[in-house]
Amino acid sequence: MENVAYIGLSRQMTLRRELDIVANNIANANTTGFKVEQLMVGTEIGQGARNDAVRPGVSFVLDRGVGRDYGQGALSQTGRTLDFAIEGDGAFFTVQDGDGEAYTRDGAFTISPEGLLVTAAGLPVLGDGGEILLDPARGSPQVAGDGTISQDGQIVGRLTVVRFDTLSVLEKAGDGLYRNTSNAQPMDAPDARIHQGMLEGSNVNPILEITNLIEISRSYERISKMIEQSNELSRKSVERLGRVG
């Protein structure tokens, strides 16, 4: 197979990956706290079959992983007492799961039968002193902008809202959660503001993603035609050489 076909195939492989990512963005356009993703594409110099100082190395398209935009999503009013939204890029609520601490922008919380503040999946939401215990008999909790939670005029805890120096240490863990994949320590995020009775929408731009979807499909088709033309040219060249011989 000619180099042009190999190069084209390497690009088609990344386009298929891009297609999956864009489709996932569109599917999560209405998911609370979802952050838009895109494929990071680079080049890789292929090694020749023999040492040829005349020909330069061939550059193949390389999948360098998924980048994520942690920018602010739009805040929407819900009026629900246990809905919370963070205003501030790169800050997260802290929750407890079986593997330790995890982080989320999805503040659609509820109260467990034991009185703990938990996520929709039942994971305890963490405060400065650990799990946050609420007493339904004392009325609805009130949450200040700094995350301080009060019931019946008394402080019962404060939501732990953190951020990281480098957001690349976070990886998706499902259900809107992220986990720290390094030894980097989370830091307090005092400039982040908590809004009660609101949720943060995704930061996906549906029109832009649909445009990307169309462009990916067109690019894939163009490369397929290029490979077909290259193969046809090689076939004709071989036929002509055969007749000459």
Side-chain angles (χ1 to χ4, degrees):
M1 187 181 292
E2 295 293 331
N3 281 339
V4 65
Y6 281 121
I7 295 170
L9 286 172
S10 72
R11 179 55 179 145
Q12 283 185 322
M13 291 173 65
T14 59
L15 285 170
R16 288 176 65 88
R17 178 80 169 116
E18 284 186 71
L19 186 67
D20 291 340
I21 293 171
V22 172
N24 185 61
N25 288 338
I26 294 173
N28 286 282
N30 295 317
T31 299
T32 301
F34 180 82
K35 300 305 176 186
V36 67
E37 299 173 336
Q38 67 179 43
L39 185 68
M40 296 184 293
V41 177
T43 58
E44 181 179 37
I45 305 299
Q47 297 298 319
R50 60 192 176 87
N51 185 13
D52 191 339
V54 176
R55 297 181 180 180
V58 178
S59 296
F60 296 97
V61 186
L62 181 66
D63 176 352
R64 294 195 177 278
V66 178
R68 190 171 298 113
D69 179 2
Y70 288 97
Q72 181 76 50
L75 305 186
S76 60
Q77 192 82 36
T78 67
R80 184 174 173 272
T81 305
L82 295 178
D83 282 346
F84 307 105
I86 299 176
E87 182 183 3
D89 292 351
F92 302 88
F93 297 110
T94 307
V95 302
Q96 183 75 41
D97 69 0
D99 297 320
E101 291 185 353
Y103 309 94
T104 185
R105 294 281 291 198
D106 185 354
F109 301 148
T110 187
I111 299 178
S112 73
E114 297 77 23
L116 295 177
L117 184 66
V118 297
T119 67
L123 301 177
V125 180
L126 298 181
D128 289 349
E131 297 175 348
I132 300 173
L133 184 63
L134 301 175
D135 183 357
R138 296 173 62 186
S140 299
Q142 301 299 315
V143 178
D146 65 350
T148 300
I149 304 174
S150 301
Q151 275 191 296
D152 196 22
Q154 295 184 351
I155 296 176
V156 296
R158 188 173 79 91
L159 292 167
T160 298
V161 179
V162 300
R163 62 163 40 98
F164 292 84
D165 272 338
T166 304
L167 291 172
S168 61
V169 303
L170 298 177
E171 70 174 16
K172 291 175 66 173
D175 293 327
L177 299 177
Y178 301 94
R179 287 200 178 87
N180 180 8
T181 60
S182 73
N183 293 323
Q185 295 300 308
M187 304 174 296
D188 193 23
D191 56 329
R193 306 303 296 170
I194 308 300
H195 296 272
Q196 187 174 17
M198 303 183 76
L199 289 175
E200 179 190 11
S202 77
N203 63 353
V204 173
N205 183 333
I207 296 176
L208 179 60
E209 295 304 311
I210 291 173
T211 302
N212 289 339
L213 201 64
I214 295 171
E215 181 57 33
I216 290 170
S217 299
R218 290 176 176 173
S219 296
Y220 196 94
E221 292 175 1
R222 287 195 296 266
I223 294 172
S224 294
K225 291 180 180 179
M226 180 191 71
I227 294 174
E228 290 175 4
Q229 291 170 354
S230 175
N231 290 339
E232 180 65 15
L233 181 61
S234 296
R235 185 186 65 80
K236 290 181 179 179
S237 297
V238 171
E239 288 179 351
R240 290 177 181 177
L241 287 173
R243 287 196 295 269
V244 170

